[in-house]
Amino acid sequence: IYLNGMAGTRPRLPTDLTRLEELAEGTLGPGPYGYVAGSAGDGSTARANRAALDRWRIVPRVLRDVHERDLSVEVLGRRIPAPLALAPVGVMSVMHADAETAAARAAAAREVPFILSSASSTPMEQVAEAMGDAERWFQLYWPKDPEVAGSFLARARAAGYTVLFVTLDTPMLGWRPRDLDHAYLPFLHGVGTANYFTDPAFRQGLAKPVHEDPEGAVRHFLGLFGDPAKTWPDLAFLRERWDGPIVLKGVMHPDDARRAADAGVDGVVVSNHGGRQVAGSVGAADALPRVVQAAGDRLTVLFDSGVRGGADVYKALALGASTVLLGRPYAYGLALEGQAGVDHVIRCVLAELDLALALSGHTGPGSLTPGDLVRESP
Ligand code: FNR
């Protein structure tokens, strides 16, 4: 960057990723901006996510040989070049016309696993095709209709998605005042329904084909999107139909981590959905240590919610997460510059993580422990 600066070129986007949000506000209209930036209630959970990460402070070590570093980690049975993946973010065509395809391409080029949301604005097969043979994972909002759920899993498998993330914190949408005040939900504008509208099992449940009655199709989608009646024994359905790793996203309580391990899944994501679901929830980084302890060696623990840079990734790793998912920052990168914007965000996070490790005496994520942090009193 500095050498480019000598030639008169500066980064097009800020390298402090917290500044992307205000810039994206100018690009996205009020509805989409409110949808991406907004969270549940008065925003207290989103603030708690930041506060929890901020309270943990890195305690650097010196005079250790850090001239060669390796950020790669083993996660869910595969080695990835860095402990980072792109979180499932739905409805990306409200952010940029190139939508999921652009984000997936940026991730693929940097070998960062991309988790495609089942609520994507691009059919999962199309996104897979854009990614070549890069690592791709699939996130399921577990639909009420078992035929549709089964069909999604079969399609994802056939399209080369290897790990299944099942999001459990969203059997229904949270109370999101910005969206309520705008009376705006992307799905009602036909965004985020592509996987459903192209699905044979979904289409079978329609009275009329999608193109004849798009509104009826949206209503049908809203009726089966989530299922608040699901309980732990239902996981057997997914286990029977998915032979790769299964990760439960949105696990915040240690008892739920134990139940997840008992149910035979492979991992959990400690996440409160970026504060978009339960208002007044505990910050995700404050929930992480107890879940890590409950998981022991039975579960792989991943983390998201509130991560805005490499230092936050570092802290989550030190607290026991094996890989960290990045959410809003890359959505803003996409909104601002498409694929190049997502690439910028990935590179910033990885560079900052690499520096955070080196400057605190580590050559890779493997040597981080909770002892590398102290927690300031609230
Ligand atoms: C999300 N998230 C999400 N999660 C999921 O499992 N499926 C999805 O389709 C979506 N969609 C989605 C859209 C938008 C606009 C946002 C901001 C978030 C949640 C996401 O995976 C992740 O948990 C949070 O984004 C993490 O919090 P931060 O880093 O954004 O604060």
Side-chain angles (χ1 to χ4, degrees):
I1 289 175
Y2 294 126
L3 289 176
N4 287 341
M6 289 173 69
T9 317
R10 287 191 197 167
R12 289 168 59 88
L13 294 175
T15 51
D16 169 358
L17 302 178
T18 62
R19 291 187 47 216
L20 296 178
E21 178 172 334
E22 71 200 48
L23 294 175
E25 183 172 12
T27 304
L28 301 165
Y33 173 72
Y35 182 76
V36 179
S39 42
D42 67 353
S44 74
T45 302
R47 285 194 299 280
N49 287 338
R50 285 303 316 155
L53 282 164
D54 272 345
R55 269 196 301 273
W56 288 105
R57 314 299 305 175
I58 296 168
V59 188
R61 305 295 304 270
V62 295
L63 285 179
R64 292 174 165 189
D65 179 356
V66 294
H67 82 284
E68 259 181 35
R69 297 175 302 282
D70 176 4
L71 266 56
S72 72
V73 288
E74 185 91 23
V75 65
L76 300 163
R78 60 219 69 225
R79 183 153 281 277
I80 53 175
L84 186 76
L86 296 194
V89 166
V91 305
M92 285 190 201
S93 66
V94 304
M95 296 152 215
H96 193 276
D98 299 340
E100 288 81 6
T101 309
R105 282 205 175 110
R110 299 274 165 208
E111 294 180 69
V112 169
F114 179 71
I115 310 177
L116 180 75
S117 166
S118 50
S120 59
S121 30
T122 317
M124 61 177 107
E125 293 81 3
Q126 225 169 294
V127 178
E129 207 180 300
M131 291 189 72
D133 53 10
E135 192 73 50
R136 46 187 174 268
W137 300 344
F138 182 71
Q139 176 266 325
L140 182 74
Y141 279 130
W142 197 346
K144 203 175 271 176
D145 181 340
E147 297 293 325
V148 176
S151 177
F152 270 28
L153 298 187
R155 287 171 60 196
R157 210 67 183 120
Y161 295 86
T162 54
V163 178
L164 177 66
F165 286 73
V166 186
T167 300
L168 298 178
D169 56 22
T170 315
M172 55 193 85
L173 291 180
W175 183 256
R176 301 181 186 169
R178 295 205 215 183
D179 298 342
L180 293 164
D181 293 351
H182 289 126
Y184 175 81
L185 205 53
F187 308 111
L188 302 183
H189 303 265
V191 179
T193 50
N195 279 321
Y196 301 83
F197 287 8
T198 54
D199 190 84
F202 177 88
R203 288 152 80 117
Q204 249 174 15
L206 295 174
K208 289 183 190 167
V210 178
H211 66 272
E212 275 179 34
D213 182 13
E215 209 185 301
V218 169
R219 279 181 201 285
H220 189 60
F221 159 78
L222 291 174
L224 62 68
F225 167 78
D227 182 1
K230 290 254 182 328
T231 57
W232 289 97
D234 292 314
L235 284 173
F237 175 93
L238 300 178
R239 195 63 287 181
E240 279 161 26
R241 286 163 183 79
W242 187 265
D243 55 7
I246 296 181
V247 180
L248 305 182
K249 179 169 180 279
V251 169
M252 294 285 284
H253 198 292
D255 289 348
D256 282 347
R258 283 184 205 101
R259 293 209 69 162
D262 293 344
V265 303
D266 302 274
V268 293
V269 186
V270 173
S271 164
N272 56 30
H273 214 106
R276 296 161 72 78
Q277 287 297 96
V278 178
S281 158
V282 58
D286 281 340
L288 180 58
R290 291 205 304 160
V291 171
V292 166
Q293 198 186 14
D297 55 12
R298 296 205 294 161
L299 290 172
T300 299
V301 179
L302 298 91
F303 175 83
D304 77 25
S305 296
V307 173
R308 297 294 176 266
D312 297 330
V313 176
Y314 179 114
K315 293 175 185 180
L317 297 173
L319 293 174
S322 62
T323 289
V324 172
L325 315 184
L326 195 60
R328 287 186 188 83
Y330 89 86
Y332 296 134
L334 177 69
L336 290 162
E337 296 269 337
Q339 181 176 340
V342 179
D343 184 58
H344 170 84
V345 169
I346 292 172
R347 291 177 68 196
C348 286
V349 174
L350 292 181
E352 206 195 333
L353 172 62
D354 180 45
L355 284 171
L357 286 164
L359 294 174
S360 65
H362 294 275
T363 56
S367 57
L368 290 176
T369 70
D372 293 301
L373 307 177
V374 289
R375 190 164 186 268
E376 288 179 343
S377 31

